[in-house]
Amino acid sequence: MGADLIISDDGNGDIGAFAKAYMEFPVDEAYITIYLDRWDADAERWRQITYYDAEFYAKDYPDGINSPYVDVTFKNQPKGYYYRLRGVFGAVYNDKFEGFSPVTDGILIEK
């Protein structure tokens, strides 16, 4: 399994999040969770702000689950901070689980 995770500054405090998983063959189930983190300069650490979950089941996708994706916008976030995305991608096939957890670089939201 591979994955793309992309963060973007969509303006007005809106942060775009795109996550896509790539499977070698159709799976029975797929899960994508995107966490939005903001840099806390005082504590010198990332803090989770919110998240978005998506679940994909073979019964809902007659052509198979090969490359599920999520394209969401986290609205009205305070400007002047650095934000990043953490993704958790999971797939189940024949009762076997595989997971992958990429993280983006932080971007300054200032528009």
Side-chain angles (χ1 to χ4, degrees):
M1 172 195 311
D4 286 333
L5 184 61
I6 301 168
I7 187 172
S8 61
D9 182 349
D10 292 349
N12 296 319
D14 293 348
I15 300 172
F18 179 80
K20 185 172 184 175
Y22 300 95
M23 313 298 177
E24 292 182 33
F25 48 82
V27 297
D28 301 323
E29 302 171 15
Y31 304 91
I32 299 174
T33 302
I34 303 171
Y35 296 96
L36 178 66
D37 297 336
R38 182 171 55 222
W39 180 250
D40 181 337
D42 293 332
E44 295 186 354
R45 61 173 287 209
W46 291 101
R47 296 203 183 268
Q48 181 180 319
I49 302 303
T50 190
Y51 68 95
Y52 181 86
D53 273 326
E55 299 177 352
F56 305 85
Y57 299 98
K59 67 179 177 61
D60 299 322
Y61 296 87
D63 293 335
I65 303 172
N66 292 314
S67 52
Y69 70 91
V70 172
D71 191 357
V72 298
T73 302
F74 295 105
K75 299 280 208 179
N76 302 314
Q77 301 302 314
K79 299 174 195 170
Y81 293 95
Y82 283 89
Y83 292 86
R84 74 172 185 185
L85 299 176
R86 287 180 293 122
V88 178
F89 297 81
V92 177
Y93 180 72
N94 286 340
D95 294 325
K96 293 182 181 166
F97 178 84
E98 182 177 338
F100 184 63
S101 298
V103 179
T104 67
D105 291 335
I107 63 169
L108 178 61
I109 300 300
E110 54 188 352
K111 294 189 220 173

